[in-house]
Amino acid sequence: LTASRRYDPGDLPQNALSRGFYDRPTEQVARELLGKTLVREIDGSVLAGRIVEVEAYLGEDDEAAHSFAGITERTRVIFGPPGHAYVYFSYGMHHCLNVVAEPTGRAGCVLVRALEPLSGLDEMFRRRPRAKAPRDLCSGPGKLTQAMGITLSHYGADLTAGALTIRESPDDDALIVRQTARIGITRSAELPLRFHLLDNPHVSRAR
DNA sequence: CCGCGGATCTTCT
DNA sequence: GAAGATCCGCGGA
């Protein structure tokens, strides 16, 4: 169970999730993103990982959400059409990837916190020189963006088509999901909006 | 394994 | 001006 599953790029799921998948309540989108496959095509190689940990950030009554302050230059995409990427620069050093949910005009997004690497591990190790084992590649929101080369250039990117997509997974049925409080926030910290797969070694460590 | 502090810079107060 | 949806290396148990 500690070994990472590895697939040839040709074996990865081909169908990207549709707009309708994201056009729903944020919490539901968050939970159902678990097990799906994030695919990044770059410089002729295919990087992919299975989503094993996410957090929901709501549009109302959630003081931890960036959208709580309303529409700004940074947050405008969160209020836009669902299925697009909200990427922000964190702590002056890291990028974090979110997926926009809810109908157009309403705020809500899902932070992708951890992946189980599936494909392109050699390239991921190149992008993360300090990583020693596969579990060091994508076991945190800043790690996975570095491993997959996701930056502010992906702000607003359409995740239903193109070089950065989230794809359907064949084995959603057997997933065991655990729901806890979110990590690393101070406001609205009591809300149980973090979801992860039970006992998956690639889930980030709580502090 | 666990806790602590430094790095680094954008955003909002 | 301060906080922040983080990561890493260090030191101690």
Side-chain angles (χ1 to χ4, degrees):
Chain A
L1 192 63
T2 56
S4 280
R5 296 194 289 176
R6 304 189 189 195
Y7 294 125
D8 290 332
D11 294 335
L12 292 170
Q14 296 300 311
N15 297 329
L17 297 173
S18 67
R19 189 84 51 209
F21 176 90
Y22 303 100
D23 194 0
R24 296 184 295 159
T26 306
E27 203 171 336
Q28 188 176 0
V29 173
R31 181 185 290 269
E32 294 187 23
L33 275 173
L34 292 177
K36 302 297 191 295
T37 306
L38 180 66
V39 179
R40 163 92 166 113
E41 300 172 64
I42 177 173
D43 298 335
S45 58
V46 178
L47 312 183
R50 179 180 181 232
I51 298 174
V52 298
E53 178 185 355
V54 296
E55 285 177 354
Y57 286 87
L58 309 181
E60 296 176 357
D61 303 319
D62 182 2
E63 296 185 68
H66 291 166
S67 56
F68 188 75
I71 300 178
T72 67
E73 186 173 1
R74 179 174 70 157
T75 64
R76 62 179 168 74
V77 72
I78 306 175
F79 294 83
H84 291 255
Y86 166 50
V87 181
Y88 72 96
F89 194 48
S90 177
Y91 286 94
M93 248 173 297
H94 307 287
H95 298 281
C96 291
L97 171 68
N98 292 254
V99 175
V100 175
E102 305 278 347
T104 302
R106 299 188 47 174
C109 62
V110 179
L111 172 67
V112 182
R113 284 194 58 91
L115 306 173
E116 176 181 337
L118 296 178
S119 179
L121 274 72
D122 290 344
E123 179 64 21
M124 292 186 192
F125 273 110
R126 259 194 296 280
R127 293 174 177 278
R128 283 186 51 72
R130 307 238 177 81
K132 297 169 189 162
R135 72 186 297 170
D136 302 325
L137 292 174
C138 299
S139 55
K143 298 179 188 177
L144 71 91
T145 54
Q146 186 182 13
M148 301 191 84
I150 295 170
T151 68
L152 286 176
S153 70
H154 295 94
Y155 183 93
D158 185 359
L159 298 172
T160 68
L164 181 65
T165 53
I166 299 177
R167 305 191 185 179
E168 296 174 357
S169 292
D171 58 351
D172 275 0
D173 295 340
L175 302 184
I176 301 178
V177 176
R178 196 170 181 89
Q179 181 171 0
T180 74
R182 294 172 293 184
I183 292 178
I185 59 172
T186 55
R187 300 178 301 174
S188 296
E190 73 287 353
L191 300 178
L193 294 175
R194 172 175 177 253
F195 304 90
H196 67 87
L197 297 185
L198 183 64
D199 292 335
N200 187 286
H202 298 274
V203 169
S204 71
R205 289 282 173 179
R207 291 170 303 160

